[in-house]
Amino acid sequence: MYVERETISEDLKELLALPHHVKSYAKDSYLFQEGDTIQYLYFLTKGKVQLNKVTTDGRELTLRICGPGQLLGEVYLYTSGAAYMCDAKVKEEAECHVFPLPELEAELQKNARLAAAFMKWMCLNQQKTQTRFRDLLLNGKKGALYSTLIRLTNSYGVQKADGILIDVQLTNQDLANFCGMAREVTNRMLSDLKRQEVISTCDGKILVRNLAFLKNEIQCENCPLALCRID
């Protein structure tokens, strides 16, 4: 199974005509950080950006990896002084169209169709986040890792003869951050999956050989693919 990477919808493409500037970001820099005042909406045209949240005990939890063609930025419309609740860290050299929030709000007030499309985008992002936290909280460590692997196949999966290749470079620490777990725990669980031939590695990337096993183990509810993603 391969699901085409999610990009901006046709209705939202009207946003790209709004006043904006283009900005480049080096690897390991930030579009924004937790606590910064929300001032912009970002449209990613190049590279990858990772959205992270630092927990109260200092662990880093990865929420999403965004790629070209996607909007990002927590936007609270018509709310002064709202702050970002996560970090947007550049994983690969990136370029963005940066839209000032006042111009966006003004356009949404007079363009009902665009406003409806934008609200739909915000609701979808909220649902993605809610289902991610549901998996992390209700299914334990195994459920967190298995659901993350399932979501990665939906976002970055490429069908191969012997399974689905997750076509993005991820370290075991990256996977641990997605699951909110220690790297050592993630290492053991990945080793178990390799012994069971559920997964293997191919050129440093994960090949999911038995997706059905992962789904059965966590009693997957087969959520809509639009929600069961990591991007």
Side-chain angles (χ1 to χ4, degrees):
M1 178 177 62
Y2 166 68
V3 180
E4 185 178 352
R5 267 190 43 73
E6 185 181 78
T7 57
I8 188 172
S9 69
E10 287 297 320
D11 287 341
L12 278 175
K13 286 183 178 178
E14 288 186 52
L15 283 175
L16 305 184
L18 296 182
H20 66 274
H21 61 275
V22 178
K23 187 172 181 180
S24 297
Y25 297 84
K27 182 179 178 181
D28 294 329
S29 63
Y30 290 86
L31 273 64
F32 53 81
Q33 292 184 271
E34 184 173 357
D36 290 348
T37 301
I38 298 174
Q39 296 179 307
Y40 304 104
L41 176 72
Y42 300 84
F43 177 68
L44 189 59
T45 58
K46 175 185 174 183
K48 285 189 173 65
V49 174
Q50 187 168 290
L51 300 184
N52 302 317
K53 174 75 175 178
V54 178
T55 64
T56 54
D57 58 0
R59 289 181 297 167
E60 185 176 78
L61 177 63
T62 299
L63 302 175
R64 295 172 59 199
I65 297 179
C66 300
Q70 289 185 282
L71 290 169
L72 63 152
E74 300 170 89
V75 176
Y76 298 94
L77 298 173
Y78 313 110
T79 303
S80 64
Y84 291 109
M85 299 180 68
C86 64
D87 299 330
K89 185 175 183 179
V90 178
K91 298 296 288 182
E92 295 177 5
E93 184 178 344
E95 184 177 276
C96 293
H97 291 189
V98 182
F99 298 89
L101 201 54
E103 282 80 355
L104 172 63
E105 291 175 338
E107 181 64 24
L108 294 179
Q109 281 185 316
K110 61 185 181 183
N111 188 333
R113 186 177 69 175
L114 183 59
F118 193 77
M119 289 169 58
K120 181 179 179 181
W121 171 76
M122 289 196 299
C123 289
L124 181 61
N125 280 345
Q126 184 180 46
Q127 286 179 294
K128 286 181 185 178
T129 301
Q130 288 175 339
T131 57
R132 280 272 291 129
F133 282 125
R134 176 202 64 191
D135 291 345
L136 294 175
L137 293 173
L138 300 182
N139 294 323
K141 294 177 181 178
K142 182 173 74 171
L145 178 60
Y146 291 11
S147 68
T148 295
L149 291 172
I150 293 167
R151 290 171 183 273
L152 284 166
T153 63
N154 289 338
S155 294
Y156 295 99
V158 177
Q159 186 69 57
K160 300 292 184 180
D162 49 354
I164 303 173
L165 179 69
I166 297 174
D167 193 21
V168 61
Q169 292 285 354
L170 294 168
T171 66
N172 286 9
Q173 184 63 63
D174 289 332
L175 286 171
N177 290 347
F178 273 118
C179 303
M181 300 190 302
R183 180 170 54 85
E184 293 76 13
V185 175
T186 304
N187 291 347
R188 289 196 297 271
M189 295 174 68
L190 290 172
S191 295
D192 288 341
L193 290 175
K194 289 177 181 177
R195 280 196 296 271
Q196 297 175 76
E197 298 186 343
V198 177
I199 67 171
S200 60
T201 54
C202 178
D203 296 327
K205 299 176 182 178
I206 295 175
L207 179 71
V208 178
R209 303 170 65 91
N210 191 344
L211 183 62
F213 174 90
L214 299 176
K215 290 186 173 184
N216 290 336
E217 285 291 300
I218 63 171
Q219 299 180 331
C220 178
E221 298 177 3
N222 291 311
C223 297
L225 293 180
L227 297 181
C228 189
R229 307 180 68 94
I230 214 73
D231 57 0

